[in-house]
Amino acid sequence: MTGEEIDRSVRQELMSLPRTLAIDVARNLVMVAQLLDEDPERAYGYARVALRLASRVAAVREAAGFAAYGVEKYSEALTEFRAARRMSGAVDLWPIMADCERGIGRPERALAMAGEPEVRQLDKAGQVEMRLVAAGARRDLGQAEAAVVTLQSQELASTAVHPWTARLRYAYADALLAVGREQDAREWFAKTVEADSGGTTNAADRLAEIDGVEFVDALDPDADEPDEE
């Protein structure tokens, strides 16, 4: 691990540091990126090291935020995201900051953020993410029907497939199921499967569950043997 694997824009930020320090920080940030999904606890450890070395670099604060978010330290994550946003002026962290508010137990604050001017500055992916967060906040507040309405949008109705399409369709299907609209939910879980080539959701399992299909592991010694005629 040399640190050269780091994103070019982050490397440029680290150029404000002495060379040896920049390399150390870069190495830790690379480890955060590599471990964030598979081992969030270790990623968090590397993020804390990077933060101790270079707390005045926006990319470091952002990485620390994502690492804290990954281990459900939402208050800490929000602090880091706010710091990163102050330093960089970027608005792209707005949805995940709102989701941190949900994690802290303040869904009403997340909903307020969904109506702020910053949302209009987000790109399409960011706006979809904000919609997902807002719908989640509605459900946190027991407003299941409002969550369904929140997710209804041009992006949901579109037949085009984008990186966020599967997650949006899945959230809508799950919201429909929560209000008892099982057949509509089935339709949208099926649409999610069509868009989810990367397997980012468990829509196929949810669809099978609605259809009453039960999968049996053929290698499981405890699995029931098929009935013999």
Side-chain angles (χ1 to χ4, degrees):
M1 192 65 61
T2 65
E4 291 297 319
E5 303 87 349
I6 204 73
D7 183 85
R8 181 181 298 178
S9 62
V10 177
R11 190 182 304 127
Q12 289 178 339
E13 284 193 57
L14 296 179
M15 289 177 64
S16 62
L17 303 174
R19 177 173 171 75
T20 55
L21 179 58
I23 292 173
D24 285 344
V25 174
R27 286 173 174 168
N28 281 280
L29 293 182
V30 170
M31 292 305 297
V32 172
Q34 291 188 350
L35 294 170
L36 198 56
D37 292 330
E38 63 185 58
D39 194 342
E41 288 290 349
R42 286 184 65 200
Y44 178 73
Y46 281 106
R48 295 305 299 176
V49 173
L51 187 60
R52 187 171 66 249
L53 294 173
S55 63
R56 295 185 179 182
V57 176
V60 172
R61 303 302 291 265
E62 182 174 330
F66 278 107
Y69 183 88
V71 293
E72 300 182 2
K73 296 179 182 289
Y74 298 116
S75 181
E76 182 179 325
L78 184 57
T79 296
E80 299 304 333
F81 288 139
R82 283 173 173 168
R85 184 166 180 270
R86 283 196 303 270
M87 292 175 180
S88 68
V91 74
D92 57 299
L93 293 172
W94 197 254
I96 197 169
M97 289 168 62
D99 205 38
C100 286
E101 295 285 5
R102 287 185 61 211
I104 295 169
R106 300 192 298 233
E108 68 287 345
R109 176 58 189 146
L111 282 177
M113 291 179 68
E116 295 289 343
E118 284 83 353
V119 177
R120 292 193 292 272
Q121 300 175 40
L122 295 169
D123 61 13
K124 183 62 67 178
Q127 290 178 4
V128 169
E129 193 65 36
M130 193 70 243
R131 191 176 292 276
L132 290 168
V133 173
R138 289 292 186 190
R139 293 184 67 172
D140 294 342
L141 292 167
Q143 301 170 4
E145 291 285 357
V148 171
V149 174
T150 298
L151 292 167
Q152 293 171 347
S153 59
Q154 291 181 345
E155 293 78 20
L156 181 68
S158 174
T159 57
V161 175
H162 301 278
W164 38 261
T165 300
R167 292 179 58 240
L168 179 59
R169 292 180 180 180
Y170 183 92
Y172 188 58
D174 193 49
L176 289 168
L177 198 59
V179 296
R181 294 170 56 181
E182 184 173 293
Q183 287 307 307
D184 290 336
R186 187 200 180 285
E187 176 187 346
W188 281 95
F189 278 129
K191 289 182 178 181
T192 302
V193 172
E194 293 173 1
D196 194 10
S197 59
T200 58
T201 73
N202 67 338
D205 293 338
R206 300 292 299 277
L207 186 60
E209 183 181 337
I210 291 175
D211 289 343
V213 177
E214 183 176 349
F215 296 102
V216 177
D217 186 349
L219 300 179
D220 185 353
D222 297 325
D224 293 335
E225 294 291 335
D227 294 333
E228 296 184 1
E229 295 184 359

